[in-house]
Amino acid sequence: MWTLIVPVKPADIGKSRLGAEPGLVRAIALDTIDAALATPRVGRVLVVTSDRTLATEAEIVAEVAPRGLRAAIATGLATAGHDAPRAVLLGDLPALRPEDLEEALRRAAAVPTGFVADREGTGTTLVTAQAGIELRHAFGPESARRHRELALAELVLPAGSTVPLDVDTPEQLAATAGLGPRTAAELAAAAA
């Protein structure tokens, strides 16, 4: 069973390029977390956040204050240990379907370390490592290229997979079909 680490910024400062209200930012994170919790290969979901208002059934790893993505991932990895396969899943995948994450993790089980590039092919939404193997990551601009340079295997997923569909901008949000129920409800309330 996989341990997933999901770093989540506080909703009032998260997703600055999206320009969204905190309710929508929180809904995007919760839809991502809910999909991870519903994925059969996932045994544990660690949400690393300093957002005290984030209500989820996942295990919260509390940060005193937001310290950045790299620090949040390090905190999650320290909590996860090395006894199980681990993955870092970014918390901005509001259309994520459990069956798509299940397939990504099935493919990740065949390689020591792997990653999934985002829909543009330049960023990264998921990084994986088998039990006992260091999970190395290089999230940020041009992270897909940097993950290739770190010799992580690129996990090529079936067409239509929702794992690459992160949402950083209003245009990406508008282009994403099949949004999770919390995100869809927030958008509907904002439009009303």
Side-chain angles (χ1 to χ4, degrees):
M1 296 294 276
W2 286 79
T3 297
L4 256 60
I5 297 155
V6 184
V8 176
K9 286 182 184 177
D12 58 341
I13 64 169
K15 307 309 300 170
S16 57
R17 287 191 294 157
L18 185 59
E21 293 295 318
L24 178 57
V25 173
R26 191 172 292 112
I28 289 170
L30 289 170
D31 280 335
T32 304
I33 294 163
D34 288 347
L37 287 167
T39 301
R41 286 180 189 263
V42 175
R44 188 177 182 197
V45 178
L46 304 175
V47 177
V48 183
T49 187
S50 61
D51 189 340
R52 304 293 181 255
T53 64
L54 193 71
T56 175
E57 293 179 17
E59 185 178 338
I60 298 289
V61 180
E63 291 185 297
V64 175
R67 298 176 299 138
L69 185 58
R70 185 168 293 281
I73 292 170
T75 299
L77 288 171
T79 302
H82 291 89
D83 295 338
R86 290 141 294 128
V88 175
L89 177 71
L90 295 189
D92 59 355
L93 304 170
L96 183 64
R97 294 187 306 250
E99 59 270 24
D100 293 340
L101 181 56
E102 178 79 358
E103 178 61 18
L105 295 175
R106 187 188 71 76
R107 292 178 185 219
V111 297
T113 58
F115 78 99
V116 174
D118 66 9
R119 67 178 102 192
E120 288 81 22
T122 57
T124 303
T125 61
L126 179 75
V127 171
T128 67
Q130 292 301 313
I133 296 176
E134 178 186 4
L135 190 150
R136 297 178 300 151
H137 62 89
F139 285 102
E142 299 297 320
S143 62
R145 176 185 53 78
R146 292 199 314 274
H147 286 130
R148 288 183 198 101
E149 290 169 355
L150 287 171
L152 275 67
E154 185 165 0
L155 304 173
V156 179
L157 302 179
S161 173
T162 55
V163 178
L165 302 182
D166 63 337
V167 171
D168 290 318
T169 66
E171 294 78 20
Q172 288 174 332
L173 182 60
T176 303
L179 294 170
R182 296 172 191 255
T183 304
E186 283 290 330
L187 289 172

